[in-house]
């Protein structure tokens, strides 16, 4: 995976930031077959993924809905998801 940098995402000081948690550890998960058309990006801190072609409310921190934004403390204090129990035979 590679580090992402594109004009359609929120940036701080020229680096891409996560719309949901403002994390700066962003990687490119996939790119369009036609270079430069779109990318799928993922935040290394909160694991949020987005396409660069989505609307600003999904790609820019300043436009991301406030009620869904996360802070580093929110992530640190989040409860872990319990594992799925084994399947019962029968």
């Amino acid at each position: 995976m590679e580090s992402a940098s594109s004009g359609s995402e929120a940036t701080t000081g020229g680096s891409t930031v996560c719309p949901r948690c403002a994390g700066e550890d962003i990687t490119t998960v996939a790119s369009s077959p036609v270079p430069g058309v779109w990318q799928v990006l993922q935040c290394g801190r909160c694991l949020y993924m987005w396409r660069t072609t989505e609307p600003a409310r999904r790609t820019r921190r300043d436009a991301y809905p406030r009620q869904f934004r996360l802070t580093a403390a929110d992530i640190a204090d989040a409860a872990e998801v319990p594992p799925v129990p084994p399947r019962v035979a029968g």
Side-chain angles (χ1 to χ4, degrees):
M1 286 189 237
E2 60 193 59
S3 211
S5 180
S6 172
S8 61
E9 304 86 46
T11 60
T12 57
S15 65
T16 303
V17 298
C18 174
R20 182 165 68 172
C21 76
E24 295 182 5
D25 178 21
I26 307 298
T27 54
T28 300
V29 176
S31 295
S32 67
V34 177
V37 175
W38 54 262
Q39 292 179 310
V40 175
L41 306 176
Q42 182 174 31
C43 175
R45 179 164 51 176
C46 73
L47 305 179
Y48 180 68
M49 294 180 81
W50 68 98
R51 291 179 309 264
T52 56
T53 55
E54 292 186 65
R57 69 182 182 276
R58 300 290 173 251
T59 62
R60 289 192 7 232
R61 176 71 174 173
D62 63 341
Y64 195 80
R66 290 194 181 280
Q67 66 268 31
F68 298 116
R69 291 183 190 180
L70 297 176
T71 65
D74 293 331
I75 296 167
D77 295 339
E80 290 189 36
V81 176
V84 176
R87 193 172 187 176
V88 178

